[in-house]
């Protein structure tokens, strides 16, 4: 007597249910992964640029004249760097950054083609440049929070106050002589009177003009 195969016998149904259950598990897994990726992109695109702090350039002490006038101080600044190996379309990114940073495209492309794990693209970018970089949505760009040294009286006191390099280390004048104290956030108060300094400079300029001196 021939055995008749029943599609809906108990064993077949059990096997069918197992396959359905397994297929649903796989489908749900892929579905939730896709949802997670979409939500991540929607929520974090506006903040896609990685922002970190530079611990080596902490708050540097201020420099004042005898009356408390500020001669040198530090302000918040941001710089742009990247790990070139994470960038896919380097040509396109170089073009976009060239427009934003007002920097030659070939120079940026040269940076993106290096083998270093972390390279500077531009130090001390402006707030407008920062926002435009965020708008690019390139998650592999990195923004570093730094400090930028400024001198309210610029050339009037530069010969005495001196200056720091891009990493905030004193290179000349008071900035260099008291570098260690300033790095510890200690302020320096000078006997210099900025008002007197300004008056003397104005008088010297008048004398140079009156006598047609070369310097």
């Amino acid at each position: 007597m021939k055995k008749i195969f029943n599609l809906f016998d108990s064993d077949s149904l059990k096997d069918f249910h197992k396959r359905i259950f397994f297929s649903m598990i796989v489908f749900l897994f892929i579905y939730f992964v896709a949802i997670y990726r979409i939500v991540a992109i929607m929520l974090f695109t506006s903040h896609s640029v990685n922002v970190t702090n530079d611990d080596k350039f902490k708050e540097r002490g201020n420099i004042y004249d005898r009356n408390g006038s500020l001669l040198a101080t530090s302000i918040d600044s941001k710089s742009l760097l990247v790990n070139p190996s994470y960038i896919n379309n380097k040509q396109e990114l170089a073009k976009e950054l060239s427009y934003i940073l007002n920097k030659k495209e070939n120079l940026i492309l040269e940076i993106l083609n290096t083998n270093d794990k972390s390279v500077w693209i531009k130090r001390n970018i402006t707030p407008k440049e920062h926002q435009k970089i965020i708008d690019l949505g390139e998650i592999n760009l990195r923004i570093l929070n730094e400090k930028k040294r400024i001198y309210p009286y610029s050339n009037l006191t530069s010969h005495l106050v001196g200056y720091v390099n891009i990493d905030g280390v004193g290179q000349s004048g008071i900035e260099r002589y008291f570098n260690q104290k300033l790095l510890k956030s200690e302020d320096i108060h000078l006997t210099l009177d900025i008002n007197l300094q300004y008056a003397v400079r104005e008088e010297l300029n008048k004398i140079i003009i009156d006598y047609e001196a070369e310097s």
Side-chain angles (χ1 to χ4, degrees):
M1 182 176 180
K2 294 183 179 179
K3 184 179 179 180
I4 301 175
F5 177 75
N6 189 348
L7 180 63
F8 298 103
D9 62 18
S10 60
D11 292 336
S12 297
L13 283 174
K14 288 180 181 180
D15 185 58
F16 180 72
H17 289 160
K18 288 180 180 179
R19 292 185 180 183
I20 291 294
F21 179 76
F22 178 75
S23 299
M24 289 179 64
I25 293 296
V26 173
F27 173 78
L28 289 174
F29 175 76
I30 296 174
Y31 175 79
F32 283 115
V33 169
I35 291 296
Y36 171 79
R37 293 290 297 169
I38 293 172
V39 171
I41 293 173
M42 291 177 64
L43 291 180
F44 300 111
T45 295
S46 60
H47 304 285
S48 58
V49 179
N50 185 21
V51 180
T52 54
N53 295 316
D54 187 1
D55 293 332
K56 73 179 180 180
F57 197 174
K58 297 180 180 179
E59 192 71 37
R60 187 177 176 87
N62 296 328
I63 301 176
Y64 300 91
D65 81 338
R66 64 185 302 169
N67 300 312
S69 296
L70 192 61
L71 305 181
T73 189
S74 300
I75 62 173
D76 292 334
S77 180
K78 298 181 184 298
S79 295
L80 177 64
L81 63 161
V82 67
N83 184 337
S85 63
Y86 291 160
I87 303 299
N88 294 321
N89 195 338
K90 297 180 179 181
Q91 186 72 55
E92 182 63 26
L93 182 60
K95 182 178 181 180
E96 292 174 332
L97 290 177
S98 174
Y99 175 76
I100 294 173
L101 303 176
N102 192 26
K103 191 172 183 178
K104 291 184 178 180
E105 182 179 335
N106 64 312
L107 295 179
I108 297 178
L109 187 59
E110 185 177 330
I111 293 173
L112 296 178
N113 284 327
T114 60
N115 295 321
D116 296 333
K117 292 184 178 180
S118 183
V119 289
W120 296 108
I121 295 180
K122 185 177 181 180
R123 305 290 290 271
N124 298 320
I125 60 177
T126 67
K128 183 180 291 186
E129 290 172 340
H130 179 217
Q131 185 57 53
K132 288 182 178 180
I133 291 169
I134 291 176
D135 293 340
L136 286 178
E138 174 55 66
I139 63 175
N140 294 308
L141 291 177
R142 181 181 169 202
I143 297 293
L144 192 67
N145 290 326
E146 296 188 290
K147 294 290 182 180
K148 179 182 179 181
R149 201 66 165 168
I150 62 169
Y151 304 93
Y153 293 95
S154 59
N155 294 334
L156 186 59
T157 58
S158 60
H159 63 288
L160 177 63
V161 174
Y163 67 97
V164 299
N165 62 15
I166 193 69
D167 293 314
V169 179
Q171 299 297 295
S172 68
I174 299 299
E175 291 278 29
R176 180 178 179 180
Y177 188 81
F178 290 105
N179 185 60
Q180 292 304 315
K181 287 188 175 182
L182 290 166
L183 285 174
K184 296 177 182 178
S185 298
E186 296 182 21
D187 295 335
I188 301 297
H189 296 265
L190 307 179
T191 56
L192 174 72
D193 187 324
I194 193 64
N195 295 318
L196 180 60
Q197 183 80 5
Y198 180 79
V200 170
R201 181 174 180 175
E202 287 298 299
E203 288 301 316
L204 287 175
N205 285 334
K206 290 180 182 179
I207 292 174
I208 290 174
I209 293 174
D210 291 343
Y211 289 93
E212 300 181 352
E214 293 183 358
S215 63

